[in-house]
Amino acid sequence: NEAEQSTPVLFDGLTEENLQFVSKLKDSSSSCAVDVSTVWWEAAGCRELCVVTACENSVSLWKPLAPDHWGKVYTWQLGEIPVIQIIPLLDTCNLICIALGNLEIGEIRLLLYSSENDSFKQSLVKTGNIKAVLGLKDRRLVSSSRSMQEQEVEVVSFSETGRSKHGQTLMPPEETVLAFAEVEGVKDALVGTTAVNSIVVWNLKTGQLLKKMHVGYSYPASICHRAYSDSGLLFVVLSHPHAKESESCGNPAFRVIAFNPKTARSTGVIFSSLPPGHAGRYVEGEVKDALAAAVLSSGAIAVWDLLLGRCTALLPPGPAGGWALVRWGAAGAGLLAGRGDGSVCLYRYA
Amino acid sequence: CSDSDLGPISLNWFEELSSEAPP
């Protein structure tokens, strides 16, 4: 039934299904999925790609038991502060990072397994009025936080066993940083988008703030999802939750902009708009490589090929309710889609 | 916009900006 309920709708005469239902996880004890992610987990010498689901007051780890079947390994119970998001830590094993808070992030915690005393543990990484956080390569975490007038942008490193090591401070811009993205192709380069719609560029090694570039007024509150450098240009993938619909671009969800970091000038490269005739707006989404996925206000999930600037699949809300969140799994794990009832469906994208 | 509107492009933009920016 689930597969029938969640059959992707295809556009533009595509002849093969590129989004296929694989399996479903349902935590009977939870009522609402807050976030979902994948994590490498090693136990008894076996390293597997597992799924992590977060509810308001708990986070569960699921391992593959048989093809398309998942079993819960462990559930971390959190305190009174609700979980807001899972923060994927790239190229790590047995480490899960989560953000907790009410309207904003107030706490970042690490969930882990300690082989020393054979137990699942959690540890506090950071507290504060945290505006944005991103997991970086080499077991690092960058965050922006506000205290009174000042903004702090800090990088924290972890050891393999999850111990926090020295933190490094990056020079903060005047405006609040709302999202980060590592720059592919340039080691030590990091970009961020700010509350006044600027792109800022840092040198992670020295902490220098290298450049500030304005995105433009047509697309307020842009959020950076991905950045890469090619041929001397900095390409940034942005989402536009508050962009206005236009005749030329339709209702844009994602946009790729090329910046010349030397001159701060920019040009739009490609727009990825909502499917034609589809009412609603971009609510939240994620980008992985050249693929973007977003939950729309209609409760549907749309997938775009950013190189083509075209929507390639649409998951309708279905009788079980609208989709609430969408994430890309690591290592070709496909698309993870969560509903308000706490269920998470896995789809293969090919 | 055309690429010419972006101004002179440098393949080493990161190193150049790092040497120009305040420490």
PDB file of all heavy atoms in Angstrom, chain A residues 240-259:
ATOM      1  N   HIS A 240      15.493  29.763  -2.046  1.00  0.00           N
ATOM      2  CA  HIS A 240      14.837  31.070  -1.913  1.00  0.00           C
ATOM      3  C   HIS A 240      13.441  30.910  -1.337  1.00  0.00           C
ATOM      4  O   HIS A 240      12.458  30.950  -2.074  1.00  0.00           O
ATOM      5  CB  HIS A 240      14.766  31.758  -3.275  1.00  0.00           C
ATOM      6  CG  HIS A 240      16.093  32.001  -3.875  1.00  0.00           C
ATOM      7  ND1 HIS A 240      17.024  32.838  -3.313  1.00  0.00           N
ATOM      8  CD2 HIS A 240      16.668  31.517  -4.993  1.00  0.00           C
ATOM      9  CE1 HIS A 240      18.100  32.863  -4.063  1.00  0.00           C
ATOM     10  NE2 HIS A 240      17.916  32.061  -5.084  1.00  0.00           N
ATOM     11  N   PRO A 241      13.328  30.710  -0.036  1.00  0.00           N
ATOM     12  CA  PRO A 241      12.008  30.494   0.554  1.00  0.00           C
ATOM     13  C   PRO A 241      11.060  31.682   0.371  1.00  0.00           C
ATOM     14  O   PRO A 241       9.852  31.507   0.429  1.00  0.00           O
ATOM     15  CB  PRO A 241      12.314  30.275   2.039  1.00  0.00           C
ATOM     16  CG  PRO A 241      13.769  29.938   2.102  1.00  0.00           C
ATOM     17  CD  PRO A 241      14.409  30.651   0.961  1.00  0.00           C
ATOM     18  N   HIS A 242      11.599  32.866   0.147  1.00  0.00           N
ATOM     19  CA  HIS A 242      10.725  34.048   0.074  1.00  0.00           C
ATOM     20  C   HIS A 242      10.767  34.726  -1.289  1.00  0.00           C
ATOM     21  O   HIS A 242      10.370  35.876  -1.423  1.00  0.00           O
ATOM     22  CB  HIS A 242      11.103  35.051   1.168  1.00  0.00           C
ATOM     23  CG  HIS A 242      11.030  34.481   2.531  1.00  0.00           C
ATOM     24  ND1 HIS A 242       9.840  34.132   3.127  1.00  0.00           N
ATOM     25  CD2 HIS A 242      12.000  34.144   3.415  1.00  0.00           C
ATOM     26  CE1 HIS A 242      10.090  33.613   4.319  1.00  0.00           C
ATOM     27  NE2 HIS A 242      11.389  33.598   4.517  1.00  0.00           N
ATOM     28  N   ALA A 243      11.251  34.012  -2.310  1.00  0.00           N
ATOM     29  CA  ALA A 243      11.334  34.632  -3.628  1.00  0.00           C
ATOM     30  C   ALA A 243       9.944  34.836  -4.210  1.00  0.00           C
ATOM     31  O   ALA A 243       9.028  34.047  -3.969  1.00  0.00           O
ATOM     32  CB  ALA A 243      12.166  33.758  -4.548  1.00  0.00           C
ATOM     33  N   LYS A 244       9.807  35.918  -4.968  1.00  0.00           N
ATOM     34  CA  LYS A 244       8.520  36.188  -5.608  1.00  0.00           C
ATOM     35  C   LYS A 244       8.463  35.476  -6.953  1.00  0.00           C
ATOM     36  O   LYS A 244       9.455  35.353  -7.651  1.00  0.00           O
ATOM     37  CB  LYS A 244       8.366  37.696  -5.809  1.00  0.00           C
ATOM     38  CG  LYS A 244       8.105  38.434  -4.511  1.00  0.00           C
ATOM     39  CD  LYS A 244       7.584  39.838  -4.807  1.00  0.00           C
ATOM     40  CE  LYS A 244       7.232  40.554  -3.502  1.00  0.00           C
ATOM     41  NZ  LYS A 244       8.172  41.573  -3.161  1.00  0.00           N
ATOM     42  N   GLU A 245       7.259  35.040  -7.300  1.00  0.00           N
ATOM     43  CA  GLU A 245       7.072  34.385  -8.588  1.00  0.00           C
ATOM     44  C   GLU A 245       7.239  35.414  -9.703  1.00  0.00           C
ATOM     45  O   GLU A 245       6.787  36.555  -9.575  1.00  0.00           O
ATOM     46  CB  GLU A 245       5.669  33.778  -8.629  1.00  0.00           C
ATOM     47  CG  GLU A 245       5.479  32.810  -9.755  1.00  0.00           C
ATOM     48  CD  GLU A 245       4.180  32.020  -9.615  1.00  0.00           C
ATOM     49  OE1 GLU A 245       3.568  32.077  -8.531  1.00  0.00           O
ATOM     50  OE2 GLU A 245       3.817  31.354 -10.583  1.00  0.00           O
ATOM     51  N   SER A 246       7.902  35.020 -10.769  1.00  0.00           N
ATOM     52  CA  SER A 246       8.041  35.918 -11.910  1.00  0.00           C
ATOM     53  C   SER A 246       7.711  35.171 -13.193  1.00  0.00           C
ATOM     54  O   SER A 246       7.765  33.940 -13.240  1.00  0.00           O
ATOM     55  CB  SER A 246       9.470  36.474 -11.974  1.00  0.00           C
ATOM     56  OG  SER A 246      10.356  35.461 -12.389  1.00  0.00           O
ATOM     57  N   GLU A 247       7.383  35.937 -14.216  1.00  0.00           N
ATOM     58  CA  GLU A 247       7.019  35.309 -15.492  1.00  0.00           C
ATOM     59  C   GLU A 247       8.198  34.564 -16.097  1.00  0.00           C
ATOM     60  O   GLU A 247       8.055  33.492 -16.656  1.00  0.00           O
ATOM     61  CB  GLU A 247       6.526  36.373 -16.469  1.00  0.00           C
ATOM     62  CG  GLU A 247       5.072  36.719 -16.267  1.00  0.00           C
ATOM     63  CD  GLU A 247       4.573  37.658 -17.344  1.00  0.00           C
ATOM     64  OE1 GLU A 247       5.148  37.662 -18.433  1.00  0.00           O
ATOM     65  OE2 GLU A 247       3.616  38.388 -17.056  1.00  0.00           O
ATOM     66  N   SER A 248       9.384  35.137 -15.965  1.00  0.00           N
ATOM     67  CA  SER A 248      10.546  34.546 -16.636  1.00  0.00           C
ATOM     68  C   SER A 248      11.057  33.303 -15.912  1.00  0.00           C
ATOM     69  O   SER A 248      11.501  32.353 -16.540  1.00  0.00           O
ATOM     70  CB  SER A 248      11.663  35.578 -16.750  1.00  0.00           C
ATOM     71  OG  SER A 248      12.005  36.059 -15.467  1.00  0.00           O
ATOM     72  N   CYS A 249      10.995  33.309 -14.567  1.00  0.00           N
ATOM     73  CA  CYS A 249      11.601  32.203 -13.806  1.00  0.00           C
ATOM     74  C   CYS A 249      10.575  31.329 -13.113  1.00  0.00           C
ATOM     75  O   CYS A 249      10.942  30.355 -12.455  1.00  0.00           O
ATOM     76  CB  CYS A 249      12.556  32.745 -12.749  1.00  0.00           C
ATOM     77  SG  CYS A 249      13.776  33.843 -13.396  1.00  0.00           S
ATOM     78  N   GLY A 250       9.308  31.666 -13.185  1.00  0.00           N
ATOM     79  CA  GLY A 250       8.309  30.898 -12.459  1.00  0.00           C
ATOM     80  C   GLY A 250       8.457  31.134 -10.968  1.00  0.00           C
ATOM     81  O   GLY A 250       8.725  32.247 -10.532  1.00  0.00           O
ATOM     82  N   ASN A 251       8.316  30.061 -10.200  1.00  0.00           N
ATOM     83  CA  ASN A 251       8.416  30.154  -8.741  1.00  0.00           C
ATOM     84  C   ASN A 251       9.716  29.477  -8.319  1.00  0.00           C
ATOM     85  O   ASN A 251       9.763  28.269  -8.131  1.00  0.00           O
ATOM     86  CB  ASN A 251       7.199  29.443  -8.134  1.00  0.00           C
ATOM     87  CG  ASN A 251       6.929  29.903  -6.721  1.00  0.00           C
ATOM     88  OD1 ASN A 251       7.800  30.492  -6.080  1.00  0.00           O
ATOM     89  ND2 ASN A 251       5.749  29.613  -6.229  1.00  0.00           N
ATOM     90  N   PRO A 252      10.813  30.238  -8.186  1.00  0.00           N
ATOM     91  CA  PRO A 252      12.125  29.607  -8.001  1.00  0.00           C
ATOM     92  C   PRO A 252      12.294  28.997  -6.612  1.00  0.00           C
ATOM     93  O   PRO A 252      11.983  29.629  -5.607  1.00  0.00           O
ATOM     94  CB  PRO A 252      13.107  30.755  -8.220  1.00  0.00           C
ATOM     95  CG  PRO A 252      12.338  31.974  -7.901  1.00  0.00           C
ATOM     96  CD  PRO A 252      10.895  31.697  -8.190  1.00  0.00           C
ATOM     97  N   ALA A 253      12.787  27.759  -6.573  1.00  0.00           N
ATOM     98  CA  ALA A 253      13.094  27.108  -5.300  1.00  0.00           C
ATOM     99  C   ALA A 253      14.605  27.167  -5.068  1.00  0.00           C
ATOM    100  O   ALA A 253      15.071  27.520  -3.993  1.00  0.00           O
ATOM    101  CB  ALA A 253      12.617  25.668  -5.325  1.00  0.00           C
ATOM    102  N   PHE A 254      15.380  26.802  -6.086  1.00  0.00           N
ATOM    103  CA  PHE A 254      16.847  26.833  -5.996  1.00  0.00           C
ATOM    104  C   PHE A 254      17.412  27.643  -7.157  1.00  0.00           C
ATOM    105  O   PHE A 254      16.808  27.722  -8.230  1.00  0.00           O
ATOM    106  CB  PHE A 254      17.417  25.408  -6.055  1.00  0.00           C
ATOM    107  CG  PHE A 254      17.062  24.557  -4.867  1.00  0.00           C
ATOM    108  CD1 PHE A 254      15.966  23.709  -4.903  1.00  0.00           C
ATOM    109  CD2 PHE A 254      17.825  24.607  -3.710  1.00  0.00           C
ATOM    110  CE1 PHE A 254      15.635  22.920  -3.813  1.00  0.00           C
ATOM    111  CE2 PHE A 254      17.500  23.821  -2.611  1.00  0.00           C
ATOM    112  CZ  PHE A 254      16.402  22.971  -2.664  1.00  0.00           C
ATOM    113  N   ARG A 255      18.575  28.219  -6.919  1.00  0.00           N
ATOM    114  CA  ARG A 255      19.237  28.990  -7.958  1.00  0.00           C
ATOM    115  C   ARG A 255      20.736  28.766  -7.815  1.00  0.00           C
ATOM    116  O   ARG A 255      21.252  28.693  -6.696  1.00  0.00           O
ATOM    117  CB  ARG A 255      18.906  30.466  -7.753  1.00  0.00           C
ATOM    118  CG  ARG A 255      19.131  31.342  -8.962  1.00  0.00           C
ATOM    119  CD  ARG A 255      18.407  32.672  -8.788  1.00  0.00           C
ATOM    120  NE  ARG A 255      18.814  33.385  -7.593  1.00  0.00           N
ATOM    121  CZ  ARG A 255      19.261  34.650  -7.591  1.00  0.00           C
ATOM    122  NH1 ARG A 255      19.360  35.326  -8.714  1.00  0.00           N
ATOM    123  NH2 ARG A 255      19.596  35.240  -6.465  1.00  0.00           N
ATOM    124  N   VAL A 256      21.418  28.615  -8.929  1.00  0.00           N
ATOM    125  CA  VAL A 256      22.884  28.548  -8.906  1.00  0.00           C
ATOM    126  C   VAL A 256      23.402  29.895  -9.387  1.00  0.00           C
ATOM    127  O   VAL A 256      23.028  30.365 -10.464  1.00  0.00           O
ATOM    128  CB  VAL A 256      23.416  27.417  -9.817  1.00  0.00           C
ATOM    129  CG1 VAL A 256      24.936  27.339  -9.725  1.00  0.00           C
ATOM    130  CG2 VAL A 256      22.794  26.074  -9.444  1.00  0.00           C
ATOM    131  N   ILE A 257      24.233  30.523  -8.566  1.00  0.00           N
ATOM    132  CA  ILE A 257      24.810  31.819  -8.924  1.00  0.00           C
ATOM    133  C   ILE A 257      26.317  31.671  -9.028  1.00  0.00           C
ATOM    134  O   ILE A 257      26.944  31.005  -8.196  1.00  0.00           O
ATOM    135  CB  ILE A 257      24.476  32.895  -7.858  1.00  0.00           C
ATOM    136  CG1 ILE A 257      22.969  33.012  -7.698  1.00  0.00           C
ATOM    137  CG2 ILE A 257      25.068  34.236  -8.238  1.00  0.00           C
ATOM    138  CD1 ILE A 257      22.563  34.116  -6.767  1.00  0.00           C
ATOM    139  N   ALA A 258      26.898  32.282 -10.054  1.00  0.00           N
ATOM    140  CA  ALA A 258      28.357  32.318 -10.188  1.00  0.00           C
ATOM    141  C   ALA A 258      28.853  33.666  -9.695  1.00  0.00           C
ATOM    142  O   ALA A 258      28.394  34.711 -10.170  1.00  0.00           O
ATOM    143  CB  ALA A 258      28.744  32.103 -11.641  1.00  0.00           C
ATOM    144  N   PHE A 259      29.754  33.636  -8.720  1.00  0.00           N
ATOM    145  CA  PHE A 259      30.374  34.862  -8.210  1.00  0.00           C
ATOM    146  C   PHE A 259      31.818  34.906  -8.674  1.00  0.00           C
ATOM    147  O   PHE A 259      32.505  33.874  -8.694  1.00  0.00           O
ATOM    148  CB  PHE A 259      30.385  34.867  -6.675  1.00  0.00           C
ATOM    149  CG  PHE A 259      29.029  35.028  -6.051  1.00  0.00           C
ATOM    150  CD1 PHE A 259      28.259  33.918  -5.744  1.00  0.00           C
ATOM    151  CD2 PHE A 259      28.531  36.284  -5.759  1.00  0.00           C
ATOM    152  CE1 PHE A 259      27.015  34.062  -5.167  1.00  0.00           C
ATOM    153  CE2 PHE A 259      27.289  36.435  -5.183  1.00  0.00           C
ATOM    154  CZ  PHE A 259      26.530  35.320  -4.877  1.00  0.00           C
TER     155      PHE A 259
END
